[in-house]
Amino acid sequence: MACTTILVGKNASYDGSTIIARNEDSQQGEFTSKKFIVVKPDDQPRHYRSVISHVELDLPDDPMQYTSVPNANLKEGIWGEAGVNEANVAMSATETLTTNERVIGADPFVELTPARGTEGEPGYEPEVPGGIGEEDMLTIVLPYISSAREGVERLGALLEEYGTYEMNGIAFSDVNEIWWMETVGGHHWIAKRVPDDAYVTMPNQLGIDEFDLDDALGDQEEHMCSADLREFIDDNHLDLAVEPVSPLNPRDMFGSHSDRDHVYNTPRAWYMQRFLNPYDEVWDGPDAAHRPDSDDIPWARQPERKITIEDVKYVLSSHYQGTPYDPYGTLGDEHTRGSLRPIGINRQSQLAVMQIRPYRPESCRSIQWMAFGSNPFNTLVPFYANVDATPAYLADTTDHVDSGNFYWANRLIAALADAHFAAASPLIDRYCEKTGGLGHRMLAAADEQVGRLDTNPVDLDDLADEEEAVDDVRDADAIIASTRNPEVRGILAAANQTIADQVKAETDALLGDVLYAASMNMRNDFHLSDN
């Protein structure tokens, strides 16, 4: 499934938060309607069976509550995609990645083999289940981890035991760290800690470009991997370095270098980094250090200024504005405009941005920002994660078009606005600015209300070493006890409902405005009045 990811380390973000964000894009030719819900422990399965691969596994009996963004129609499985659990650990799963024939040949994908023949008759061959995939990962991992590192460890063990039928990238974050994990073939994987002062761009392509294998197989300070990765690389001649070198380059070993990448993948990383580091290098023309078709665009980079939530939304909505490749632009010509795969596309399902704030109490620390539909035409809205239920405006999506829920309202706006981009863009810009302001105001008001409860917030200003202070309070049981405070959850749920109501009113108004603007450009217009 096509997606785009950005990860922002705590020292690269505007407020010291860790931020992980990803667009979930549906497959070509279809839309996938999505919900934003809370999964309570009683609703979490104890025995899990995948719809796609039919893999079955028993799950632990002590799940935490967590948020999820599942499909509205479960015919193809849950596809939970993004969420935050009660220990204030976030997960985004998954970014579909590319690979090469050597990796697949060395460690084939674990795909479902259907039964053959009729059971009880000669020659019958029973079904052989496949491995785990994007459909499954959030559901079988997020409720059971109390740190980002534990997320890598749990999913890594599951991959080694059950395998996978696809290449995927998965992000985990807590208040201290972000880890990025990439599957390699059917059973192998690598993971790297995102530098605190950097951001990472991931556009459907295996991305890690430096990997310290000795650390991954030793102290695991910044790297982790499957236990036999060194033998896997050596036995299958996967290291393409001309001379022995450390760190290794996984992108060369495990990734792809196809012409399709230069149209579909690398341009997205180029544009995101072009926006976040506009002055560090030349991005355009014959002297450009990196071009849309460059294979060496860095995986991680220090930004020129701190990155905001609005920056995250902008890059994940972008369609090459200001370049000859913008399908809505006036630069370039018919050969360049629309020639590269944009980040903000028509078949976007949802965008989830998980922000974990070190300066707020555990009880209200985690924010899950949500947008539905095509990103150039929608808005990003904050919701507290540690609540008992999400507003119906986001939770009650169905397969049927209904402007009364956030998902379908945004679908309708995008379909109308795309064909009338010049007229609709100012309306959408004002809508995003107003709803964004409402969201930030809601967070400030609810944070202040929670602060008055004296729930033992972490006051980093009173502590000499901020990182040590945050580390000291990362006791899972204490965090969960704090996030389960019913009075706080009531405040946060009310705040979520308030912003949902406000955004619904603004979205309904925008739908009317865009409909009017589109109607004024209908081809059966006639300029003589009846009066």
Side-chain angles (χ1 to χ4, degrees):
M1 184 165 294
C3 305
T4 309
T5 293
I6 183 169
L7 315 171
V8 184
K10 60 187 179 182
N11 295 336
S13 73
Y14 72 107
D15 67 343
S17 297
T18 56
I19 300 173
I20 63 175
R22 179 175 58 90
N23 292 338
E24 179 194 1
D25 304 335
S26 61
Q27 298 181 34
Q28 182 63 39
E30 65 180 57
F31 286 152
T32 304
S33 50
K34 303 293 295 189
K35 299 180 176 184
F36 174 47
I37 65 170
V38 172
V39 181
K40 303 186 80 62
D42 288 346
D43 298 326
Q44 175 71 3
R46 269 44 174 189
H47 182 80
Y48 181 84
R49 186 177 192 271
S50 171
V51 172
I52 292 177
S53 72
H54 297 182
V55 66
E56 297 189 49
L57 61 154
D58 291 325
L59 297 175
D61 198 36
D62 56 348
M64 285 179 269
Q65 179 175 295
Y66 62 102
T67 55
S68 177
V69 192
N71 291 357
N73 186 323
L74 300 180
K75 64 181 180 180
E76 293 182 343
I78 297 174
W79 296 79
E81 298 299 318
V84 184
N85 69 21
E86 291 179 293
N88 286 325
V89 179
M91 179 179 179
S92 176
T94 70
E95 180 82 28
T96 304
L97 304 181
T98 55
T99 187
N100 61 66
E101 298 87 341
R102 298 179 305 281
V103 171
I104 298 173
D107 184 11
F109 291 138
V110 183
E111 298 177 339
L112 170 67
T113 302
R116 295 183 179 181
T118 303
E119 188 172 3
E121 295 185 359
Y124 170 73
E125 297 180 13
E127 172 186 279
V128 179
I132 60 176
E134 182 172 350
E135 172 199 342
D136 321 300
M137 288 183 182
L138 187 100
T139 302
I140 65 177
V141 174
L142 183 58
Y144 312 104
I145 58 175
S146 58
S147 70
R149 182 182 291 266
E150 282 187 20
V152 174
E153 293 168 346
R154 175 167 172 80
L155 182 53
L158 291 170
L159 288 166
E160 292 175 26
E161 180 175 359
Y162 295 98
T164 183
Y165 53 86
E166 58 189 358
M167 291 277 290
N168 280 315
I170 304 96
F172 298 96
S173 64
D174 55 42
V175 73
N176 297 318
E177 297 184 319
I178 302 173
W179 281 83
W180 177 251
M181 182 178 192
E182 297 180 333
T183 62
V184 180
H187 301 83
H188 292 84
W189 56 274
I190 58 176
K192 186 177 176 77
R193 188 183 187 276
V194 175
D196 292 338
D197 63 352
Y199 68 93
V200 164
T201 55
M202 285 297 308
N204 282 136
Q205 190 176 22
L206 192 136
I208 297 175
D209 53 5
E210 290 186 353
F211 193 79
D212 187 337
L213 189 57
D214 291 332
D215 179 41
L217 296 172
D219 294 337
Q220 298 185 342
E221 292 182 358
E222 308 285 338
H223 306 79
M224 289 188 275
C225 67
S226 42
D228 65 341
L229 190 68
R230 191 187 301 277
E231 292 78 12
F232 177 63
I233 294 170
D234 292 343
D235 293 348
N236 295 286
H237 314 288
L238 295 175
D239 188 356
L240 303 184
V242 175
E243 297 180 357
V245 62
S246 181
L248 301 175
N249 187 332
R251 194 183 294 178
D252 283 346
M253 291 188 292
F254 307 133
S256 62
H257 303 281
S258 68
D259 294 336
R260 185 172 181 268
D261 287 330
H262 298 156
V263 173
Y264 199 83
N265 294 324
T266 54
R268 286 182 274 160
W270 170 80
Y271 191 81
M272 286 191 281
Q273 295 189 21
R274 183 181 188 271
F275 175 77
L276 295 170
N277 289 80
Y279 305 115
D280 276 356
E281 62 179 73
V282 176
W283 293 98
D284 301 296
D287 297 326
H290 291 100
R291 296 163 39 88
D293 58 355
S294 295
D295 288 322
D296 62 345
I297 298 172
W299 175 73
R301 188 173 199 137
Q302 185 174 354
E304 291 178 17
R305 60 170 176 80
K306 297 292 183 75
I307 296 174
T308 66
I309 294 294
E310 290 71 33
D311 292 329
V312 171
K313 174 62 165 67
Y314 183 85
V315 296
L316 292 181
S317 304
S318 61
H319 40 87
Y320 305 114
Q321 299 95 306
T323 78
Y325 310 109
D326 184 359
Y328 302 109
T330 58
L331 301 177
D333 55 32
E334 68 275 12
H335 302 294
T336 60
R337 288 194 292 268
S339 62
L340 304 179
R341 191 268 202 208
I343 298 172
I345 59 173
N346 63 331
R347 51 192 169 86
Q348 234 115 50
S349 298
Q350 55 89 14
L351 161 61
V353 181
M354 278 75 74
Q355 177 186 15
I356 304 179
R357 309 176 300 168
Y359 51 88
R360 294 302 180 201
E362 297 283 2
S363 59
C364 63
R365 176 165 285 180
S366 297
I367 307 299
Q368 184 158 340
W369 298 73
M370 290 300 307
F372 288 124
S374 182
N375 282 352
F377 309 102
N378 64 19
T379 191
L380 186 64
V381 186
F383 295 94
Y384 288 98
N386 285 308
V387 293
D388 290 324
T390 54
Y393 189 46
L394 292 89
D396 291 351
T397 311
T398 69
D399 259 355
H400 305 292
V401 178
D402 179 358
S403 63
N405 67 63
F406 200 32
Y407 174 86
W408 285 113
N410 281 284
R411 276 270 175 252
L412 292 168
I413 290 167
L416 291 166
D418 177 86
H420 307 279
F421 189 82
S425 287
L427 302 172
I428 293 168
D429 288 346
R430 288 195 291 270
Y431 163 74
C432 290
E433 184 177 273
K434 184 168 185 180
T435 54
L438 290 170
H440 283 290
R441 182 65 224 144
M442 178 275 285
L443 294 178
D447 285 346
E448 192 273 336
Q449 191 174 357
V450 171
R452 292 202 305 267
L453 294 178
D454 190 24
T455 54
N456 297 315
V458 178
D459 188 351
L460 296 180
D461 293 334
D462 291 342
L463 297 165
D465 188 326
E466 292 189 4
E467 281 200 20
E468 182 180 351
V470 174
D471 288 340
D472 285 346
V473 298
R474 280 215 60 77
D475 175 84
D477 291 337
I479 294 170
I480 294 169
S482 177
T483 58
R484 287 180 178 173
N485 181 309
E487 190 172 4
V488 173
R489 282 194 175 179
I491 292 171
L492 304 186
N496 284 355
Q497 187 61 56
T498 295
I499 190 63
D501 292 342
Q502 292 173 330
V503 169
K504 183 180 187 306
E506 296 298 329
T507 304
D508 288 347
L510 176 65
L511 178 57
D513 291 343
V514 172
L515 177 61
Y516 179 83
S519 299
M520 291 301 99
N521 290 305
M522 291 174 66
R523 295 184 184 182
N524 61 354
D525 176 31
F526 197 73
H527 297 292
L528 289 180
S529 173
D530 292 334
N531 297 320

